[in-house]
Amino acid sequence: MGEAKRKQSATAALIEKFPNCYFCGGKRLATTREHMPPKSLFDNSYRPDKLVMPACSECNRGTSTADLAASIISRWDYLSNHQQDADHRKLIEQARRQAPDLLKEWTELGDPDEREQARRHLRNHGVSVPRDASVVTIGPRTICQLNLFAHKAVLALHFEHYRQILPVTGRVSANWKTKEDFAKGGVPAPLLKLLPKYGTLVQGRWNEPCLSG
Ligand SMILES: [Zn+2]
């Protein structure tokens, strides 16, 4: 079976089992398979075909900028490797077309003095920042996309665990932390306690069992 056919049949099988979109609470019928976390978050888009949710095209398309922002930001690593750099360049090109307002926000800090001030601020808050590290700004537009991404991730985990649409009376809450927050205390222990058997999607392995148990 060709790749396109295989995808089509996987989508049909998922929708037959779960006909409603998982992200808008089943308001619309699902027409696509949504990967969460998205393929673009993985090096060279090499991702196991797990954690896949039924989604309507509006939810799928409507969250693509959130996926893009998270995929780019996850590659802002001082010690990034060749593949991460290549993926980053490709994703930035996509952002140039799809979300120029985000690019503008990230590159707002043009003045070298302001950059140095930002580095100092991070160092004073326990984040180790190499002298020649680049600086980007994360403002309200980016935070809005990251919040959307976080809520989508929670809904995806809810689907993976319960295989039921979150009822309209249900609530999802996601809160994201900055590097300063992590430098202070890492991932909060109460949060890890909520996830006693969390699984992982392992980079570069297609059939890694995930969220089993
Ligand atoms: Zn939807």
Side-chain angles (χ1 to χ4, degrees):
M1 199 186 289
E3 181 60 14
K5 268 250 183 292
R6 196 193 60 77
K7 273 188 192 163
Q8 230 174 28
S9 107
T11 303
L14 183 71
I15 290 173
E16 196 185 311
K17 228 171 154 187
F18 304 102
N20 295 88
C21 171
Y22 206 74
F23 294 101
C24 54
K27 265 198 324 205
R28 288 182 288 258
L29 289 173
T31 53
T32 64
R33 280 193 326 144
E34 174 77 316
H35 292 75
M36 188 66 206
K39 285 183 184 172
S40 55
L41 204 74
F42 292 73
D43 289 358
N44 205 16
S45 296
Y46 195 45
R47 179 201 194 278
D49 204 21
K50 304 272 181 170
L51 283 171
V52 181
M53 290 80 210
C56 68
S57 58
E58 286 90 337
C59 285
N60 199 328
R61 268 202 321 269
T63 55
S64 73
T65 298
D67 290 350
L68 180 61
S71 299
I72 291 173
I73 291 168
S74 71
R75 289 176 172 85
W76 288 346
D77 182 352
Y78 184 70
L79 299 171
S80 58
N81 63 33
H82 178 71
Q83 184 62 53
Q84 286 166 336
D85 291 345
D87 288 341
H88 186 261
R89 275 195 299 276
K90 206 172 80 184
L91 292 165
I92 287 289
E93 278 315 308
Q94 192 184 334
R96 234 182 267 287
R97 297 187 299 270
Q98 188 176 326
D101 54 330
L102 290 182
L103 278 181
K104 199 167 164 243
E105 192 173 78
W106 297 336
T107 52
E108 244 164 31
L109 222 54
D111 183 341
D113 286 346
E114 279 181 328
R115 286 167 178 260
E116 191 41 46
Q117 211 179 334
R119 286 189 197 97
R120 216 174 309 131
H121 168 87
L122 284 169
R123 279 189 214 109
N124 290 342
H125 285 79
V127 182
S128 112
V129 185
R131 289 260 148 237
D132 56 343
S134 301
V135 175
V136 293
T137 44
I138 289 188
R141 288 170 196 274
T142 309
I143 289 169
C144 177
Q145 294 299 337
L146 291 177
N147 272 331
L148 180 57
F149 185 85
H151 282 82
K152 198 178 158 190
V154 174
L155 281 174
L157 289 172
H158 185 276
F159 172 77
E160 188 63 23
H161 194 76
Y162 296 106
R163 298 282 172 191
Q164 279 173 12
I165 289 177
L166 186 75
V168 281
T169 50
R171 289 289 177 272
V172 163
S173 173
N175 81 44
W176 63 278
K177 306 243 169 219
T178 64
K179 282 191 170 177
E180 289 113 299
D181 296 327
F182 276 107
K184 262 186 241 153
V187 179
L191 191 64
L192 288 177
K193 264 197 200 145
L194 284 172
L195 305 164
K197 285 194 217 164
Y198 67 93
T200 53
L201 282 172
V202 175
Q203 181 82 47
R205 290 190 213 163
W206 288 110
N207 296 309
E208 188 67 20
C210 62
L211 290 168
S212 54

